[in-house]
Amino acid sequence: MPDLTGYDLVLASTESALNSSIAYANFWKVTINCQLNPDVSAEQSPGLVGARISAPTLRLSGSDLASNQAAVSLLFTAGSLQYFDVVHYKTISQDIAGWTIVFAANIGQGSIPDSAEIGQLPVEIQNALSNQRLSVGQLFLELSTVVWANVTITDADGKRVTDAIITSTLETALQSWAQSIESAAQQWVLNYVVTSSGGSGNASGDLLPDLVPTSYNFSVSKYNPPGTYDDLSTLNYLMMTDGRGAPTANTAGIFDFNWVAGPNTQQYQGAVAINGPLFDRAYVEPLLLPAIAAAVSATNPATTSASGNTGNPGVPTFTRTGPGQWSTSQSVNLYGNQHGGKGQKLEGLGLLQAVYQNITEKLDCTVTLDPASATYHVKVTYTAITTLTVEFFGWDKTDSSFSGDYVLPWSFDVRLKASSNGSLVTESTQVQQGEASSKTWGNSFVGDIWAAISEVFSTFLNTYQAQFQDKAASVSQSAFANVSDELESAMGDISAAIVFPAGNRFAYKGVCFDPQQNLVAYVTYLN
């Protein structure tokens, strides 16, 4: 997929998902009772229509539709049309059960009208309306702009109805009915959109406010190629966050790809996309990377003892090195400020010479995103280096030193995944330890000096082998429980931003990153 054309968040809902929601909402099933001129009898004025309409079906694709239009198909489940036949001078009652009327309607957006019955709205929308930090808008079909003379009418057998009196009567009846309910626009609502109207945080308790939409727009993406999987055409909700203005380019909101690709064997009903830099800024860098840093940090926070031992300077900080790539390095000299930089003096070796030991602990860590699997690969290398310095007394020799190290590479993954309950969470995998290594360099010693140094070095190796391996093995899912909860709550806020008239919200079914490293999560809707 290409970029999001300047928007922070995009929710693309398929045509089939819209129709499923509309069918589930009872208020779409309405009754038309219309006498065009109630002051006279039907024998004098045609136009007595009584009918019941099932929930409409929408079509987003087709060359006959503008970019902001949907084709609306209304099925009369029961009803009749009564008119006066001037040729035969008699009243005729026409059964219209099974008839279908199709017309093009503009998709509009706006606030919930003052005349709306709040108690009839979904509970989520009622709650949002009572929250002063939230605003509620809606997308709806604009009946006032429908050209009723252009409707297509077919009978129960699928044949086009062309009788001028019948078509004119039905068209006029529908127009009159539409005008009568125009003030109750919620009867034709496609979706409610909840946005933050200002102030810090959001309805879920100030979790990741950068991901809470503050404004919205919409567009329609027709499936390409046409005539294949047209029901996977999408109505796109285009959202900005943190009060940023919407893009103004002519290409904004126009996508040249299919949000859900046919044949759609996974039964996705839409997709949510989050701008990659926004997701990094809102989640990865302030939450996920610090959790990784705390998990891999090899030693305790900075401490300086009375003897001058200096510990770790704190949890390391990651630096971005490229798209989806971060790294950190940390080096701690434990005894470097003692004895002129030689380190701590070792006691109890039974030698005439003085022996000093210095130890440096190093951490190197890289985090690399694998877009296809939504997995952050974490590679860690722990290194401990010791330098043993021998100070010769009474000899015509300068100090001599011996050095050695212990290196342990290890890795684990942190991935984003859809959980069994439809939320998006963070999960870490088990640590995989690499092959440890050790090497030595510097002066060679003989006799008692070499024996003492060998023993010290052996103790060094054993200590760090246990310390590093234990630390690596201790990294578990619990280290990421908090950031997983934060992600789940934030993505839940995005889910709550778009509510269907029946109150159904979407659940996450799969997640990946596109080549531009925008987060893409596929969704299905819950009734």
Side-chain angles (χ1 to χ4, degrees), residues 298-322:
T299 56
N300 295 323
T303 57
T304 301
S305 68
S307 61
N309 295 348
T310 303
N312 195 310
V315 175
T317 301
F318 279 92
T319 300
R320 186 182 182 91
T321 58

Side-chain angles (χ1 to χ4, degrees), residues 38 49 85 90 194 205 244 251 253 308 353 389 407 453 486 488 510-511:
V49 177
D85 186 340
K90 64 178 181 178
V194 181
R244 285 185 288 272
T251 56
Q353 289 76 24
T389 301
V407 180
I453 289 176
E486 297 253 11
E488 182 175 358
V511 60

Side-chain angles (χ1 to χ4, degrees), residues 259-321:
W259 282 99
V260 178
N264 192 24
T265 57
Q266 298 296 320
Q267 301 296 304
Y268 296 142
Q269 292 184 294
V272 174
I274 303 177
N275 173 269
L278 171 64
F279 188 72
D280 289 344
R281 185 171 64 251
Y283 178 71
V284 176
E285 292 170 354
L287 293 173
L288 181 58
L289 292 181
I292 293 174
V296 304
S297 183
T299 56
N300 295 323
T303 57
T304 301
S305 68
S307 61
N309 295 348
T310 303
N312 195 310
V315 175
T317 301
F318 279 92
T319 300
R320 186 182 182 91
T321 58

Side-chain angles (χ1 to χ4, degrees), residues 120-437:
Q120 300 299 314
L121 299 175
V123 174
E124 293 89 345
I125 300 306
Q126 295 182 46
N127 293 338
L129 288 172
S130 64
N131 189 328
Q132 294 183 350
R133 293 190 299 175
L134 300 178
S135 298
V136 181
Q138 61 183 17
L139 296 187
F140 57 93
L141 297 178
E142 293 182 341
L143 298 182
S144 60
T145 60
V146 173
V147 181
W148 296 102
N150 293 340
V151 302
T152 299
I153 305 173
T154 55
D155 62 20
D157 296 325
K159 297 179 181 179
R160 179 78 176 268
V161 177
T162 58
D163 185 282
I165 295 179
I166 293 176
T167 57
S168 175
T169 300
L170 268 180
E171 290 163 5
T172 307
L174 283 169
Q175 183 175 9
S176 176
W177 164 70
Q179 290 172 347
S180 70
I181 68 166
E182 187 175 355
S183 61
Q186 68 270 20
Q187 291 200 13
W188 293 87
V189 167
L190 302 176
N191 291 102
Y192 300 101
V193 184
V194 181
T195 58
S196 173
S197 57
S200 61
N202 52 57
S204 293
D206 297 344
L207 296 175
L208 300 187
D210 284 344
L211 294 183
V212 178
T214 52
S215 64
Y216 75 99
N217 207 327
F218 76 93
S219 69
V220 173
S221 293
K222 302 177 182 181
Y223 196 88
N224 189 40
T228 51
Y229 301 101
D230 289 341
D231 63 342
L232 297 181
S233 299
T234 55
L235 179 58
N236 310 317
Y237 304 85
L238 315 170
M239 294 171 280
M240 299 302 293
T241 66
D242 201 28
R244 285 185 288 272
T248 58
N250 293 334
T251 56
I254 300 176
F255 306 103
D256 59 356
F257 59 91
N258 300 314
W259 282 99
V260 178
N264 192 24
T265 57
Q266 298 296 320
Q267 301 296 304
Y268 296 142
Q269 292 184 294
V272 174
I274 303 177
N275 173 269
L278 171 64
F279 188 72
D280 289 344
R281 185 171 64 251
Y283 178 71
V284 176
E285 292 170 354
L287 293 173
L288 181 58
L289 292 181
I292 293 174
V296 304
S297 183
T299 56
N300 295 323
T303 57
T304 301
S305 68
S307 61
N309 295 348
T310 303
N312 195 310
V315 175
T317 301
F318 279 92
T319 300
R320 186 182 182 91
T321 58
Q325 297 178 342
W326 297 265
S327 69
T328 187
S329 296
Q330 200 170 58
S331 180
V332 180
N333 194 314
L334 298 187
Y335 312 111
N337 59 344
Q338 299 181 40
H339 299 96
K342 295 178 183 179
Q344 66 175 345
K345 185 176 182 180
L346 301 181
E347 305 292 344
L349 298 182
L351 300 174
L352 294 175
Q353 289 76 24
V355 180
Y356 302 88
Q357 182 182 37
N358 206 347
I359 295 177
T360 299
E361 296 178 351
K362 293 179 62 179
L363 163 70
D364 295 286
C365 179
T366 61
V367 178
T368 304
L369 172 64
D370 174 35
S373 62
T375 298
Y376 294 90
H377 297 302
V378 183
K379 294 185 177 181
V380 185
T381 301
Y382 286 159
T383 303
I385 303 171
T386 184
T387 298
L388 299 172
T389 301
V390 178
E391 187 180 62
F392 293 93
F393 295 111
W395 293 7
D396 188 18
K397 292 185 178 181
T398 58
D399 296 348
S400 297
S401 62
F402 164 90
S403 298
D405 66 11
Y406 176 76
V407 180
L408 177 66
W410 56 285
S411 63
F412 64 99
D413 292 337
V414 179
R415 61 174 177 158
L416 310 183
K417 59 171 290 188
S419 66
S420 58
N421 66 358
S423 58
L424 200 61
V425 297
T426 306
E427 178 184 78
S428 67
T429 63
Q430 288 187 331
V431 167
Q432 301 293 319
Q433 291 194 17
E435 184 176 352
S437 63

